[in-house]
Amino acid sequence: NMKPLELEGNDWGIHVTRHRKRNGLTMRQLADRAGLGTGTILRLEQSKAAKKDTLVAVARALGCDSILIPVPVPPTPSADSDQ
């Protein structure tokens, strides 16, 4: 029963850290499982920008079947703003 890796908010890296710790992994172990460097895992856990392929590799290494990244929806203009 796999769960998604949910990444939301400005501190989304905390979710990576929680999943890693829940799985009893060190940064090095997660990096090895994902085929990445420890520095990459550190940057992820600090909520730095990441490539899609990197996130997918980390999610799989954490036993997650998908990644949920909320996309902000721009506000719709109100009827008053015809200017």
Side-chain angles (χ1 to χ4, degrees):
N1 189 2
M2 298 172 76
K3 296 182 179 178
L5 175 60
E6 296 186 44
L7 304 178
E8 60 181 298
N10 293 331
D11 294 329
W12 56 266
I14 193 73
H15 300 290
V16 176
T17 305
R18 284 184 187 145
H19 275 273
R20 176 177 62 77
K21 289 182 177 182
R22 200 174 297 141
N23 282 281
L25 299 171
T26 64
M27 282 189 192
R28 164 62 63 203
Q29 290 168 324
L30 177 55
D32 290 346
R33 281 188 181 190
L36 302 167
T38 306
T40 300
I41 302 302
L42 177 62
R43 284 189 296 280
L44 286 176
E45 292 191 3
Q46 293 174 340
S47 303
K48 305 292 183 190
K51 296 179 182 176
K52 179 183 171 188
D53 292 346
T54 301
L55 291 172
V56 169
V58 168
R60 286 186 179 148
L62 290 170
C64 298
D65 60 352
S66 60
I67 304 170
L68 296 179
I69 304 172
V71 177
V73 177
T76 55
S78 67
D80 301 345
S81 62
D82 291 335
Q83 302 161 23

